[in-house]
Amino acid sequence: MTGGTADGPADGAGRRGPRRWRRAAEEALYGPEGFFVRQAPAAHFRTSVHVSPLFAEAVAELLLRVDAVLGRPDELALIDYGAGRGELLSGVLAALPDAVAARVRPHAVEIARRPAGLDPAIGWSDTPPRGVAGLLFANEWLDNVPVDVAETDGDGVPRYVLVDDDGTEHPGEPVTGADADWLARWWPLPPEPGLRAEIGRPRDTAWADAVACLDRGLAVAVDYAHTRAARPPFGTLTGYRDGREVRPVPDGERDLTSHVALDACAAAASGDGRPGVPAGVLVSQREALRALGVGGARPPLSLAAEDPVAYLRRLGDAGEAAELTDPGGLGSFTWLLQPRRAPLPPPWGVGGTAGDRPSG
Ligand SMILES: C[S@@+](CC[C@H](N)C(=O)[O-])C[C@H]1O[C@@H](n2cnc3c(N)ncnc32)[C@H](O)[C@@H]1O
């Protein structure tokens, strides 16, 4: 980093002075010319949703289990938070039995515009419906909720990192107040120069607000995540453009993302351990998908002779399941399962106790 402390306005050429990462990323991703507002997201990255229809089928299976836990309400909400182009909702609807699909109220919460040609049954807005019962699913949303970055200076004091339009960073003011409290609780920085942390407070608030739109049911956040026991010492802020990892620059031309402190989000949404408010559960995507029937076993060779078409289809499924559950890739994503005024569905609740209860 080079020196500087201002959080300055735009100059005559429209360039802005150094500002904190949260504000810079807000403008770059969600401002009038922002990356997500302007671009068709899926053209720039590939999430589990795009890897295989098996992902939507697993979410459909989860919705059926939530439906059973809720006693099969007349209207079953399915909210996709940060829905991209609504691909997951379309896939889940296609995978559900007709009798259940007729009761489902699918809704996309998305800052970007509704894509042309989307199933008219799917609602679309930039704020969630409230007071509903069902499943809220947020795949790779929270990592795009902008956060400030802290870095310890030469004396080991955490300071906000300021950034220019071209990505050049400068040390800012020392971190104080609620941000300092958050760091102390969730991401304590040892007093060594050059350590970094992403201050996850805005994500805690965003997640708690999202969960609160459910009257009853289950909210699920899926992201690359870390917990207090193993924070990355230099943070994870990075950029993606055309599917490739690039330097994080707040220029509106690239995705800006950092892994999520999902244990802190879980605590915020469960009222910080208030008695009677159920805690969330953290499981790997590999475990979650396995529990929801995504196997990955190759079909028996004998099937190739009996029914070559079925054999090839099941071979394709096995390859896609392997990619979704790969421990070195998408399988290492974390699912936060956050119940709201209802038990967790099996195998995590109602008789089963799989998964880790985060502490905090
Ligand atoms: C990485 S994309 C994931 C898209 C989709 N869930 C998927 O898995 O393919 C994140 C999406 O979240 C949306 N988003 C970010 N913040 C949001 C907010 N506060 N409300 C609604 N959508 C938001 C972005 O516009 C973007 O489409």
Side-chain angles (χ1 to χ4, degrees):
M1 293 198 288
T2 59
T5 54
D7 194 8
D11 66 10
R15 285 184 301 264
R16 280 144 304 186
R19 58 215 186 280
R20 290 185 194 171
W21 260 111
R22 181 180 176 192
R23 198 175 119 200
E26 283 282 1
E27 289 166 359
L29 297 181
Y30 307 115
E33 284 301 302
F35 176 80
F36 282 118
V37 175
R38 209 164 25 84
Q39 320 258 345
H44 283 269
F45 52 75
R46 186 161 166 268
T47 68
S48 295
V49 174
H50 311 108
V51 164
S52 167
L54 293 174
F55 190 77
E57 287 168 22
V59 176
E61 171 61 29
L62 182 60
L63 180 63
L64 292 176
R65 295 187 195 182
V66 170
D67 186 36
V69 163
L70 295 176
R72 303 195 166 77
D74 292 343
E75 294 198 349
L76 178 64
L78 172 60
I79 300 172
D80 186 354
Y81 216 112
R85 292 189 298 196
E87 300 97 325
L88 178 64
L89 287 170
S90 302
V92 174
L93 289 178
L96 285 172
D98 289 348
V100 179
R103 286 189 290 114
V104 169
R105 300 290 173 268
H107 194 96
V109 184
E110 184 41 72
I111 286 173
R113 273 193 304 276
R114 180 188 182 99
L118 190 71
D119 181 343
I122 297 176
W124 192 278
S125 60
D126 59 5
T127 53
R130 302 214 155 252
V132 295
L135 173 65
L136 179 145
F137 204 89
N139 190 59
E140 295 202 41
W141 165 49
L142 288 173
D143 68 298
N144 284 133
V145 173
V147 290
D148 277 325
V149 177
E151 182 172 327
T152 46
D153 66 12
D155 298 322
V157 174
R159 290 179 176 273
Y160 290 106
V161 176
L162 309 181
V163 61
D164 293 333
D165 280 352
D166 66 1
T168 307
E169 293 186 338
H170 315 266
E173 297 300 311
V175 179
T176 54
D179 284 344
D181 294 345
W182 190 94
L183 284 181
R185 178 176 178 193
W186 291 110
W187 196 326
L189 286 170
E192 294 162 27
L195 301 177
R196 283 168 74 112
E198 285 111 23
I199 306 173
R201 226 159 50 82
R203 293 171 175 176
D204 296 0
T205 307
W207 180 240
D209 285 351
V211 174
C213 81
L214 288 178
D215 177 47
R216 295 184 307 136
L218 177 71
V220 180
V222 182
D223 259 301
Y224 261 132
H226 41 64
T227 58
R228 200 176 44 182
R231 301 285 184 218
F234 305 108
T236 58
L237 177 67
T238 191
Y240 281 93
R241 188 175 183 176
D242 299 323
R244 281 197 313 279
E245 186 163 5
V246 292
R247 188 170 156 249
V249 177
D251 58 3
E253 299 296 329
R254 63 197 80 203
D255 187 7
L256 297 169
T257 164
S258 55
H259 299 185
V260 182
L262 274 180
D263 49 350
C265 296
S270 59
D272 272 325
R274 241 192 351 259
V277 183
V281 169
L282 299 173
V283 295
S284 71
Q285 170 150 308
R286 182 179 175 83
E287 276 175 79
L289 290 183
R290 286 269 160 89
L292 295 169
V294 178
R298 290 167 67 95
L301 257 182
S302 55
L303 185 66
E306 287 160 27
D307 186 345
V309 174
Y311 176 78
L312 285 178
R313 196 184 54 240
R314 282 182 49 189
L315 201 58
D317 280 357
E320 290 173 5
E323 183 172 354
L324 288 172
T325 57
D326 177 4
L330 290 171
S332 70
F333 272 52
T334 301
W335 285 39
L336 164 59
L337 305 161
Q338 190 96 47
R340 169 92 166 156
R341 296 193 188 119
L344 281 163
W348 300 285
V350 194
T353 53
D356 288 338
R357 268 71 186 160
S359 56

